[in-house]
Amino acid sequence: MTPLSNLAVRDVETLVHPYTNLATLRESGPLVLERGRGIYVYDSNGTAYIEGMSGLWCTALGYGNEELAEAAAAQMRKLSFAHLFTGKSHDPAIELAEKLKEIAPVPTSKVFFCNSGSEANDTQIKLVWYMNNALGRPRKKKIISRLKAYHGVTVAAASLTGLPANQRDFDLPMAGILHAGCPHHYRFAHAGETEEEFATRLAAELAQMIEREGPDTVAAFIAEPVMGAGGVIVPPRTYFEKVGAVCRKYDVYVIADEVICGFGRLGTTFGCQSLGFAPDSISVAKALTSGYVPMAAVTVPEPMYQALLEESRKIGTFGHGFTYSGHPVAAAVALKALEIYARDRLVEAAAQKAPHFQARLQALGQHPLVGEARGRGLIGAVELVADKASKRSFQPSAAVAARAVRFAEEEGLMVRSLVGDAVSVCPPLVITPAEIDELFDRLCRALDRTLDWVRRERLQEA
Ligand SMILES: Cc1ncc(COP(=O)(O)O)c(C=O)c1O
């Protein structure tokens, strides 16, 4: 075992790392990054990596963007902080709300600002509850999410999330949150079921769940267009049309969690536009500022706004908001990011690069370790399996995807291991076709090294 560097020692003695095995980190130490430029990040030894995950699915414009840095600096000099409480306002928040209203894929009356995807989804739940109280239907409060969904980690958002590690021993999920089936055809379709048939069954199961609970108790349904942290799961064809129809039938409010898919990831401005998904509201974060500063938002349709208005008139205030809701620096950076997406036609560019990206991804499906290669636009994953024919997974304790991620790092590529031994890729939208080739060449070498290791350790044996 190589001794930890000074920075690494200071790290393990001071930080509780999110999403980390805190025990093994004490031995391995962290990978300390120092700077970034374009699609590359550099560690404290100067080693370069392709940031194949845009950090955490967020740095769409890559690193070191001077225009974003300048927008932040200029706003800090002009008005470093201002809030939106008690009737105060400021120009960047107003302008950003106008811009989001203009580009939102759903009828939007108002915008509410938050600082993270988790806060946005918590806010969605609170707005739906508040609205239904205002509308005199206090029983209509349950929220339906899906198994393997990822909506964040605050108490309500972690309850929406459908991944065991986010709930186990945190005493979650909280009451009133339900999980419908996961729309992953490769894993959950019945033998011989087509994508359309699978989608029909999932929608029927959703309807049964609503009937069982009582439609007058079910308030909302939330879904990521393409599930991210659950394994980059693209829903089967016709899925959103069918579950959308069920929600409309039972007057269930539909929320698209666009935290990953928003702003071009799937080759459309919002992910729902690529999948025939017609929500009532969206949550956005991450690429809203290209991850340069924290910011998130939820859109509020007019009927909901009218209900909020009445309820706040009755109570005397709309009692929700964060100190940094609509922070002027974050808003200024978001405005600049949106300007760059439009000016440089980055959504169209992402759509143009997507076939090449997806072709390189699909080619990995031939690799002996890969059970399924899946994705859309500029996001994808490979699911590593012990046996391709039977789709048998590796023992989770073998942590095969985590090992692949380590080999990828040694090849100069950052990717991420997700539940179910998926390895995900989600590079900055500004990646060039040549860089896409370099990314997949490195990933392929990492998978080859993983296969050698798997064979040496005899991990494919049943
Ligand atoms: C789809 C989705 N929703 C919500 C979140 C939570 O966002 P945050 O980590 O900013 O709270 C994430 C984070 O990855 C996400 O991918």
Side-chain angles (χ1 to χ4, degrees), residues 57 116-119 121 150-152 224 257 259-260 286:
W57 333 82
S116 69
S118 301
E119 285 181 4
N121 291 328
Y150 190 80
H151 297 297
E224 303 151 82
D257 181 342
V259 167
I260 288 180
K286 295 193 190 277

Side-chain angles (χ1 to χ4, degrees), residues 218-246:
V218 178
F221 172 78
I222 182 166
E224 303 151 82
V226 168
M227 285 174 147
V232 186
I233 296 164
V234 183
R237 275 185 290 280
T238 68
Y239 172 79
F240 278 116
E241 286 90 324
K242 289 170 181 165
V243 297
V246 169

Side-chain angles (χ1 to χ4, degrees), residues 15-27:
L15 289 172
V16 174
H17 279 261
Y19 267 97
T20 300
N21 181 326
L22 300 176
T24 53
L25 182 77
R26 293 196 68 81
E27 281 138 41

Side-chain angles (χ1 to χ4, degrees), residues 66-236:
E66 289 297 333
E67 288 181 282
L68 295 180
E70 187 44 47
Q75 184 58 45
M76 281 183 185
R77 289 191 192 99
K78 188 171 168 196
L79 180 65
S80 53
F81 177 77
H83 62 81
L84 304 177
F85 284 37
T86 57
K88 306 273 195 316
S89 197
H90 53 82
D91 196 343
I94 298 167
E95 209 179 316
L96 181 60
E98 283 172 352
K99 191 78 210 158
L100 287 172
K101 276 181 66 169
E102 191 186 308
I103 64 172
V106 288
T108 300
S109 170
K110 307 287 178 288
V111 174
F112 185 87
F113 287 117
C114 314
N115 308 290
S116 69
S118 301
E119 285 181 4
N121 291 328
D122 268 40
T123 295
Q124 292 278 18
I125 294 178
K126 288 180 74 178
L127 292 184
V128 169
W129 288 347
Y130 200 76
M131 171 179 76
N132 282 347
N133 286 329
L135 295 176
R137 38 191 209 183
R139 277 167 52 79
K140 202 167 173 69
K141 296 290 166 55
K142 292 175 191 162
I143 317 284
I144 301 182
S145 177
R146 300 168 310 158
L147 295 169
K148 293 207 172 196
Y150 190 80
H151 297 297
V153 294
T154 45
V155 171
S159 300
L160 296 175
T161 290
L163 298 170
N166 298 109
Q167 299 179 339
R168 185 173 160 189
D169 290 351
F170 288 115
D171 294 3
L172 296 171
M174 64 188 206
I177 308 281
L178 308 164
H179 290 90
C182 173
H184 188 190
H185 187 269
Y186 174 75
R187 279 288 167 207
F188 302 118
H190 292 162
E193 206 171 35
T194 64
E195 287 196 33
E196 284 81 357
E197 287 163 352
F198 180 46
T200 302
R201 177 164 63 82
L202 288 172
E205 287 170 5
L206 177 65
Q208 282 156 17
M209 176 182 264
I210 296 171
E211 288 284 355
R212 199 169 52 240
E213 295 294 324
D216 63 326
T217 71
V218 178
F221 172 78
I222 182 166
E224 303 151 82
V226 168
M227 285 174 147
V232 186
I233 296 164
V234 183

Side-chain angles (χ1 to χ4, degrees), residues 55-69:
L56 287 174
W57 333 82
C58 56
T59 58
L61 296 174
Y63 293 80
N65 185 301
E66 289 297 333
E67 288 181 282
L68 295 180

